[in-house]
Amino acid sequence: MVKAADQIETRRSAASSPPPRRRTLLVFAGESITTRPLPLTGELVLGRGEQADLILDDGSISRAHLRLVLAEDRVSVVDLESANGTMLRGARLPSGVGVEVTANEPITIGDVTLVIQEIRPLGSAIASTRSARDPRTPGNGPIVIDPAMRRLYDLARRISPGTITVLIVGETGTGKERLAEFLHGASRRAAGPLVRINCAAFADPLVESELFGHEAGAFTGAQRERRGLLESAKGGTVFLDEIGELSLSTQAKLLRVLEEGVLIRVGGSTPRPLDVRFIAATNRDLDAEIAAGRFRQDLYFRIAGSVLAIPPLRERLQEIEPLAHAFAADAMKRLGRPAVHLSDAAVRRLCAHSWPGNVRELRNVIERAALISETASIEEHHLPFFDGAEAPAAARQDASIGDELAELERRRILDALEQCAGNQTRAAALLGMPRRTFIKRLSTYGVQRPRKR
């Protein structure tokens, strides 16, 4: 059912949002996905006619179908009396009336879907709107409630079946790897491997061998040939996390792989075909890195077939409470303790925090609070920033919280063994833990296995 013209909501971007550094247009036509650059300001006519500013060769599109009105802080679409109409938010737009659209929002013209992407410098506000829609999550994936996040995951779902390369950008801890997992899981390559490569984790002399593999005798110590990480992802997806950390020489070789679909192992000369899909991620401002000469512009254009920008947690206030509840439930389950709930005061304090470490920091804060809470409730005083000071960065919390959880689990294992007179099977059952896992924990924590008498 088509909505009346007066039912179409006009959405306004947040007034505080700076203009995007770049805009692109994603065009979905059947199984094809293409990207077209857009100017920051001006007007463009889209259609299949030769006089159109942006020609879309599809029989379902009128010769002059719609006009894009581009301003630095907003984009509007105007239907130009097209035969098949322009659909936005389930409604057919009235001809000649401009309606504002937001980033990542689908616009349907005939059999083609258009999505406008706004690529902003990292750290700037990403425009998001609040709506009265019911919260939902995409399948069994991550919690997605904020409208901007819904549009992002809806776009990811549209992109996933294709082969277009994807660049995920966002601050540290926003969930870039989780989004990459979602893209792979929703793709036609889901049955294949998802190979995660942290580009910052390799020493520069080794990174090319790790990525591309090497032949026997390629360098000292290379006694036999070795398949690289890219080859190990055959038929699946390669997730290049922190791609901005690669050296320029490695960037050049990766560019060749992307352009030609083949790789050459270190010390080799034979091109090897590579059947993988690439997803990259970074928390760096690649535009700034390109300007500084630290990142190749041609590689950027290869990996940025579609750019998915994840908003920081401080702009997704609706998601803080459900995420916190999920993290608390997970922590209690792993500790073998009864579930806890968050008090209203604790939730208010969580929502008031700026979350410089984003979702990762929230997880660490909740796990720590659940660990030290001796009641069925996480209260405000259990939070590390209760006194008004900012919480420590998530990266600094990882080790200490992990150590606390490990020590608690170790003590519970020792207590169970004592209660069961050293019987490992009964101790594992007491903890609700598979015996094989229990034995592995004994080894992990350096607990000597009781000897049979």
Side-chain angles (χ1 to χ4, degrees):
M1 178 178 180
V2 176
K3 297 179 182 177
D6 59 3
Q7 290 181 285
I8 301 173
E9 175 192 0
T10 297
R11 299 181 178 179
R12 295 288 182 185
S13 300
S16 60
S17 298
R21 180 171 292 178
R22 186 185 303 117
R23 282 196 183 105
T24 59
L25 181 71
L26 286 178
V27 181
F28 297 80
E31 296 187 357
S32 170
I33 307 174
T34 56
T35 305
R36 308 287 185 90
L38 292 176
L40 290 182
T41 59
E43 296 188 3
L44 295 176
V45 172
L46 278 64
R48 61 181 174 84
E50 294 182 359
Q51 302 304 314
D53 300 304
L54 203 163
I55 299 174
L56 303 174
D57 188 15
D58 189 285
S60 65
I61 298 174
S62 297
R63 297 180 63 83
H65 199 108
L66 65 80
R67 178 183 293 111
L68 287 181
V69 182
L70 304 156
E72 286 195 342
D73 62 345
R74 67 191 60 186
V75 178
S76 298
V77 295
V78 183
D79 183 81
L80 301 177
E81 298 184 352
S82 62
N84 290 324
T86 300
M87 300 292 293
L88 179 68
R89 300 168 208 137
R92 179 166 178 161
L93 300 185
S95 296
V97 177
V99 177
E100 189 175 336
V101 296
T102 55
N104 298 332
E105 190 169 31
I107 307 161
T108 303
I109 58 173
D111 297 330
V112 175
T113 298
L114 311 174
V115 174
I116 297 170
Q117 295 194 287
E118 295 188 350
I119 306 167
R120 303 178 185 275
L122 286 180
S124 65
I126 298 176
S128 66
T129 57
R130 307 295 174 186
S131 76
R133 297 180 188 175
D134 293 332
R136 64 181 174 84
T137 61
N140 295 320
I143 293 172
V144 177
I145 296 174
D146 179 84
M149 286 292 285
R150 291 182 187 176
R151 292 194 297 272
L152 183 69
Y153 269 82
D154 283 344
L155 176 58
R157 186 182 290 105
R158 289 176 179 271
I159 290 172
S160 59
T163 59
I164 189 171
T165 56
V166 180
L167 174 63
I168 304 173
V169 299
E171 296 177 7
T172 298
T174 49
K176 296 187 288 293
E177 184 172 0
R178 195 72 184 270
L179 181 54
E181 292 171 352
F182 176 84
L183 280 162
H184 173 72
S187 74
R188 296 190 179 97
R189 296 174 174 267
L194 170 62
V195 176
R196 300 167 174 84
I197 301 174
N198 184 344
C199 298
F202 299 117
D204 194 52
L206 300 176
V207 64
E208 291 182 9
S209 174
E210 292 290 341
L211 288 177
F212 308 119
H214 61 255
E215 300 292 353
F219 50 83
T220 302
Q223 298 179 355
R224 62 184 65 182
E225 69 174 27
R226 182 177 182 276
R227 185 174 64 170
L229 291 171
L230 298 186
E231 282 187 82
S232 69
K234 180 180 179 181
T237 303
V238 170
F239 175 50
L240 295 168
D241 198 10
E242 305 298 350
I243 193 172
E245 306 298 327
L246 291 177
S247 67
L248 287 170
S249 62
T250 305
Q251 290 177 34
K253 294 182 179 181
L254 180 60
L255 175 63
R256 179 179 179 181
V257 171
L258 286 163
E259 288 181 332
E260 301 178 7
V262 299
L263 63 78
I264 297 178
R265 290 176 176 174
V266 175
S269 58
T270 304
R272 297 173 179 271
L274 189 65
D275 176 26
V276 301
R277 190 214 192 141
F278 284 94
I279 300 173
T282 185
N283 60 5
R284 287 180 177 267
D285 185 338
L286 291 187
D287 281 321
E289 295 296 296
I290 291 169
R294 293 188 292 265
F295 200 83
R296 295 180 62 109
Q297 188 175 50
D298 46 5
L299 177 58
Y300 175 84
F301 288 128
R302 278 289 177 180
I303 63 175
S306 176
V307 180
L308 302 180
I310 304 181
L313 185 59
R314 60 184 171 273
E315 295 181 12
R316 296 149 50 188
L317 296 181
Q318 297 176 10
E319 295 183 357
I320 291 176
E321 183 177 357
L323 282 169
H325 282 295
F327 293 153
D330 182 63
M332 291 296 97
K333 182 177 180 181
R334 286 189 286 114
L335 291 171
R337 289 168 52 182
V340 296
H341 72 274
L342 281 78
S343 71
D344 292 343
V347 170
R348 286 193 296 270
R349 188 66 189 91
L350 291 172
C351 292
H353 185 55
S354 61
W355 299 111
N358 291 292
V359 178
R360 186 179 301 151
E361 181 188 358
L362 175 61
R363 176 187 288 275
N364 290 333
V365 165
I366 295 300
E367 286 187 348
R368 178 184 182 276
L371 184 68
I372 64 177
S373 173
E374 297 179 352
T375 66
S377 176
I378 293 177
E379 302 293 339
E380 190 176 7
H381 64 268
H382 293 135
L383 304 177
F385 37 85
F386 172 66
D387 59 359
E390 285 295 288
R396 294 197 298 271
Q397 294 184 6
D398 285 342
S400 61
I401 292 175
D403 291 344
E404 290 180 63
L405 289 169
E407 179 57 28
L408 178 61
E409 185 175 52
R410 181 178 180 276
R411 289 200 305 268
R412 292 178 62 242
I413 287 173
L414 291 173
D415 290 344
L417 283 171
E418 184 176 352
Q419 291 180 47
C420 298
N423 187 302
Q424 299 165 47
T425 301
R426 288 170 52 201
L430 182 64
L431 295 174
M433 185 182 296
R435 187 177 187 278
R436 182 176 298 178
T437 302
F438 184 85
I439 300 301
K440 287 182 179 179
R441 292 290 195 273
L442 294 180
S443 176
T444 299
Y445 298 133
V447 177
Q448 186 173 3
R449 294 179 62 181
R451 296 181 179 274
K452 294 183 179 180
R453 297 183 183 276

